[in-house]
Amino acid sequence: MLQNKLQVEVRSSDATSLKGKGGLKRIILAMGYSMDGLLVASFEEAAFRQLLLLNIVLIPIACLLEITPAERAILIMVTVLTLIVELLNTAIETAIDRISLDLHPLSKQAKDMGSAAQMLSLILVTVIWLVICI
């Protein structure tokens, strides 16, 4: 009975009141959550660490190349994009695993699509770096 009452109250309130925080405090809390996510990915995810290493190598190289500032920005952006995609891929995998560790075709689809997104981002990095550097 209490659960039904809470569901009704939740439905009747707006999304902002559910968040509980606003303004600068919300931004500071969000930054903390983001840092938590980066730390977890750094310590728990080998793929993220590998991509971080790739970024640590490629970004300084991009800064040393004799190219235009726009080309440099593109090289850095596509490299950082791999980290973003890996974070999203890991989030998908974690959410699926949280729901159930049972094998299910839809779980496999979701995980495979996240993996495919990462593969495409790495292909993009390769193509962009080759086009600009050659």
Side-chain angles (χ1 to χ4, degrees):
M1 182 68 145
L2 180 61
Q3 185 179 11
N4 291 340
K5 184 178 179 185
L6 289 173
Q7 287 175 345
V8 171
E9 288 177 6
V10 168
R11 279 190 224 117
S12 66
S13 37
D14 64 275
T16 307
S17 67
L18 293 176
K19 300 285 183 178
K21 307 288 183 244
L24 185 58
K25 186 169 186 172
R26 183 174 179 170
I27 292 169
I28 292 168
L29 288 172
M31 287 180 59
Y33 301 142
S34 298
M35 292 306 297
D36 289 346
L38 287 172
L39 287 172
V40 169
S42 297
F43 288 110
E44 302 291 328
E45 296 296 325
F48 185 81
R49 286 192 303 272
Q50 291 167 347
L51 291 169
L52 198 54
L53 181 61
L54 180 70
N55 276 260
I56 289 169
V57 170
L58 289 181
I59 290 173
I61 291 172
C63 293
L64 295 173
L65 292 173
E66 292 185 25
I67 54 178
T68 68
E71 290 171 327
R72 183 170 294 110
I74 291 169
L75 292 179
I76 292 170
M77 284 188 298
V78 296
T79 305
V80 172
L81 178 66
T82 63
L83 292 173
I84 296 167
V85 173
E86 184 57 34
L87 288 169
L88 294 171
N89 181 35
T90 300
I92 290 167
E93 290 179 355
T94 303
I96 294 296
D97 290 346
R98 166 65 176 85
I99 293 166
S100 174
L101 293 175
D102 295 340
L103 297 178
H104 190 281
L106 292 176
S107 297
K108 181 179 179 343
Q109 265 186 349
K111 289 182 173 190
D112 289 350
M113 287 180 201
S115 180
Q118 184 58 272
M119 181 188 70
L120 290 175
S121 76
L122 290 168
I123 290 170
L124 182 66
V125 166
T126 304
V127 170
I128 296 292
W129 274 78
L130 286 174
V131 166
I132 290 177
C133 293
I134 293 180

